Amino acid sequence: MSAISVEFEDILLGKPDQLDPRAADLVTAAAAIEKATASLRGLIEGQASRSTEALAETASEVARSLSRARTRYRNTGQALQTYAADLRPIQQDATAAIATAEYYEQKSATIPNDISRREGDLLRAEAVEAPQPQIDEIEADLRRMRQAQSNAASQVQDARQQLYRARERLRAIADVAISHIETAIEGDSDSAFDNWNQFWDGAAGWIGEWAANVLKGILEVLGELLAILVAIVVIIVVIIIVIAVLSAIAAIIGWVALGILAALLVGAMLLTFLIRDGLGTPIRRSPAPGEELKPKKKYPSDADDATTTDQYTSQDYGDLFEEVGRQDVAGGEQRTVIRVVAITDAAGNVIGYRVQLPSTQNWSPMNGDGALNDLSADAMLALFPGLETQYKRAVWDALESSGALDSDAPIMLTGWSLGGMMAGDLATDPRLSGRVQSVVTAGSAIDKHAGEIDPSVRVTQVNNRWDPVHTLEFVGYGPNDVPGPNWQTYHPVDIRIHDANMYGELADDLVPEVRPGDEIFFADDLKNTHEEVYEMVYSRG
């Protein structure tokens, strides 16, 4: 597979030939539902006796549910039909452009050698004063070769431009599909007749795993798109809003004064964040201070009888990202759930600690008593690396309460998004010097710590190319922040942009086995080790 085909493989992932007939089935199903609705309404009309009132009431409720289902299936089917129809020519154009680029890239690879060889012929011909026609022929060959080289480069560039346009077209038709599937982001099923989540869970069987994941992911990400940018982007937006609101005043007070006012407003917000994190003390909600912290023991073999995903023990990086995602859900906007997992042998000795850090869950700038992993923590970590925020102080409390600071066992720091940024920041803290052996992150901006993290630390990153968060380094990134040989960064492509479960799936595909040395941070029945999970819950104080 060529480099350009890998770079643009996201354009060719869809399977319109499988998607189209099933989309047609949805439209057919909508028509059948409409007939069923009409039949049920026929039961309702004209009913007068008490004996039929219950039937009429039930039929009316079912008819309303079916009517909602009809709209859902019809709109979805029509949107997917349009998506499939528009996807075909995009993929055809992309396939042709990739073939063209590959052909001319291959040609470009051989032309320089041909030119060099012919230039040698010219030098030798001139040295022996060869006949002029012979020299003219060589010079003509060189002109043709150089022109061919220029043409090949131009063809590759044109092909790349076509592929960029194809990618934009792909995003555009996805946006259109999203806008038409208007009921797809409602809550769970309306009734037993219309289980939307069940529909998508079974979709992989007939539209292909990619289509099911991508289309469901498109719908689910709608409610989260505003939550994928770190605080600096939010601050820039605030500046833009301030300028827009006060633009009418600009004619009076002037743009300089307006800029000063905007800077003051943004500065006031940052000052609020600094005061909140600098003076406030996190409150530990569970276990409360004074209560005994008891770890939950988990063995890999427990998975055989597990009834929930939270009973499993993580076996690879993909499991870690999904588990931290579950911590996010458990904490929500009001609480921050931090887990310190002690990998323990049969004799009770801790051989390694895994620190699992949650991502941003509270996006309110006015958050005063909710989760610590909020907009304020994002802004402080992005703009003031090294500042001891309430979130960071809670992590230190968790490390101390779990006994990790009293041990000399090695530490792995892991998280995604803000959790990964916190992991990168902690890895530079001198209080953990010599303890941190591994940092595992997803969709996190940690490259700005490359120059500070000990070169012996194994850093593993999974960063979706379409995810902007891991590129937002801002303050602290410098010329010395060059990842060393122990840094492994994977750059897959996924339309779901920024999601813990997505990163779990990508990690399973890209790095199904943990790196040598990281095995000690995962429980193993064969080695007779298990997890002792210390879970601590915090809120802002």
Side-chain angles (χ1 to χ4, degrees):
M1 185 176 288
S2 67
I4 197 165
S5 63
V6 172
E7 181 180 354
F8 293 97
E9 65 180 346
D10 54 293
I11 304 174
L12 305 177
L13 289 176
K15 299 176 181 178
D17 290 338
Q18 294 183 32
L19 178 58
D20 191 49
R22 296 308 301 178
D25 287 348
L26 288 178
V27 177
T28 302
I33 290 172
E34 186 171 13
K35 291 180 181 179
T37 306
S39 299
L40 284 169
R41 294 197 184 281
L43 291 174
I44 303 169
E45 295 175 0
Q47 300 294 339
S49 67
R50 292 183 178 180
S51 62
T52 58
E53 286 181 359
L55 175 62
E57 184 178 349
T58 301
S60 178
E61 175 60 30
V62 173
R64 285 194 295 272
S65 180
L66 285 176
S67 181
R68 290 192 293 269
R70 178 197 61 189
T71 301
R72 180 174 290 180
Y73 279 80
R74 183 190 62 215
N75 289 358
T76 301
Q78 290 174 347
L80 297 187
Q81 282 180 318
T82 302
Y83 181 84
D86 292 341
L87 184 59
R88 284 192 186 89
I90 292 175
Q91 291 187 333
Q92 290 168 355
D93 292 346
T95 300
I98 288 174
T100 298
E102 289 175 336
Y103 171 77
Y104 282 104
E105 280 185 337
Q106 185 176 9
K107 195 170 184 179
S108 296
T110 61
I111 290 177
N113 290 333
D114 294 338
I115 291 175
S116 178
R117 186 171 55 254
R118 206 59 174 139
E119 285 174 341
D121 292 341
L122 180 61
L123 288 174
R124 285 188 291 273
E126 290 175 340
V128 299
E129 297 182 353
Q132 189 60 39
Q134 182 180 346
I135 293 176
D136 291 343
E137 181 182 355
I138 296 173
E139 289 177 339
D141 287 345
L142 284 171
R143 284 193 296 272
R144 283 194 297 271
M145 290 177 183
R146 288 170 181 145
Q147 181 59 42
Q149 186 179 38
S150 175
N151 180 62
S154 177
Q155 290 288 349
V156 171
Q157 184 60 31
D158 288 348
R160 295 185 70 87
Q161 291 302 319
Q162 291 178 40
L163 289 165
Y164 286 129
R165 288 192 293 271
R167 181 175 283 161
E168 291 302 317
R169 289 161 60 194
L170 177 62
R171 293 177 181 176
I173 67 171
D175 288 341
V176 171
I178 291 169
S179 67
H180 285 87
I181 307 176
E182 58 189 6
T183 59
I185 55 173
E186 292 178 359
D188 291 329
S189 59
D190 295 322
S191 71
F193 297 98
D194 182 29
N195 191 326
W196 184 248
N197 287 331
Q198 188 178 44
F199 164 79
W200 284 111
D201 289 340
W206 46 263
I207 64 175
E209 184 176 356
W210 175 85
N213 289 338
V214 166
L215 291 169
K216 187 178 182 184
I218 288 172
L219 305 177
E220 290 175 344
V221 82
L222 285 178
E224 301 175 5
L225 285 179
L226 294 180
I228 65 171
L229 300 180
V230 292
I232 186 62
V233 175
V234 178
I235 293 169
I236 292 173
V237 171
V238 170
I239 295 174
I240 295 172
I241 292 174
V242 170
I243 292 175
V245 171
L246 299 179
S247 58
I249 307 175
I252 301 174
I253 66 174
W255 283 106
V256 173
L258 181 61
I260 293 173
L261 180 58
L264 288 173
L265 290 174
V266 174
M269 184 174 70
L270 289 176
L271 181 60
T272 300
F273 290 170
L274 279 168
I275 293 173
R276 180 189 300 163
D277 272 297
L279 300 181
T281 301
I283 299 173
R284 194 168 79 193
R285 300 290 182 178
S286 175
E291 290 183 3
E292 184 180 359
L293 177 60
K294 295 182 179 180
K296 176 182 179 181
K297 292 187 178 183
K298 295 167 62 177
Y299 295 81
S301 57
D302 291 343
D304 297 337
D305 302 316
T307 56
T308 66
T309 52
D310 211 35
Q311 292 176 285
Y312 296 132
T313 58
S314 294
Q315 297 299 301
D316 53 36
Y317 302 137
D319 291 344
L320 289 186
F321 299 144
E322 291 172 1
E323 186 168 333
V324 178
R326 289 192 289 272
Q327 286 177 228
D328 291 341
V329 173
E333 296 183 355
Q334 295 303 311
R335 298 291 181 263
T336 297
V337 177
I338 298 172
R339 288 179 183 162
V340 178
V341 182
I343 307 301
T344 310
D345 64 19
N349 302 309
V350 177
I351 63 172
Y353 285 98
R354 197 173 69 225
V355 184
Q356 299 176 180
L357 305 166
S359 69
T360 313
Q361 293 302 300
N362 189 317
W363 290 89
S364 170
M366 307 307 294
N367 175 35
D369 58 2
L372 309 174
N373 45 324
D374 61 0
L375 175 63
S376 176
D378 258 325
M380 296 301 97
L381 197 54
L383 297 176
F384 304 103
L387 177 74
E388 190 141 303
T389 61
Q390 287 198 43
Y391 182 10
K392 190 171 183 179
R393 287 199 289 276
V395 177
W396 281 107
D397 179 78
L399 288 168
E400 182 178 7
S401 300
S402 64
L405 295 183
D406 296 327
S407 168
D408 58 0
I411 293 173
M412 168 189 279
L413 301 168
T414 184
W416 83 285
S417 195
L418 172 64
M421 292 169 63
M422 179 61 72
D425 185 66
L426 287 167
T428 68
D429 198 301
R431 288 173 289 182
L432 293 179
S433 178
R435 295 285 307 280
V436 178
Q437 290 190 4
S438 179
V439 176
V440 179
T441 70
S444 303
I446 66 167
D447 286 353
K448 63 184 175 185
H449 298 302
E452 299 175 89
I453 294 178
D454 191 307
S456 67
V457 175
R458 293 179 296 278
V459 179
T460 309
Q461 301 182 82
V462 181
N463 295 326
N464 180 11
R465 288 188 184 276
W466 283 16
D467 185 350
V469 176
H470 65 86
T471 66
L472 303 177
E473 297 289 347
F474 297 104
V475 177
Y477 186 80
N480 294 326
D481 293 316
V482 179
N486 270 331
W487 285 57
Q488 289 187 5
T489 303
Y490 299 86
H491 293 289
V493 174
D494 197 294
I495 202 169
R496 287 171 289 179
I497 312 294
H498 194 71
D499 177 80
N501 288 331
M502 172 200 74
Y503 275 117
E505 294 170 12
L506 293 175
D508 285 340
D509 292 338
L510 295 168
V511 275
E513 301 291 335
V514 300
R515 296 171 61 179
D518 278 359
E519 303 94 339
I520 62 170
F521 299 114
F522 298 89
D524 188 332
D525 282 332
L526 295 177
K527 296 179 181 178
N528 209 13
T529 58
H530 65 276
E531 293 185 355
E532 295 196 355
V533 182
Y534 295 88
E535 180 174 285
M536 287 136 284
V537 182
Y538 301 86
S539 66
R540 280 198 172 276

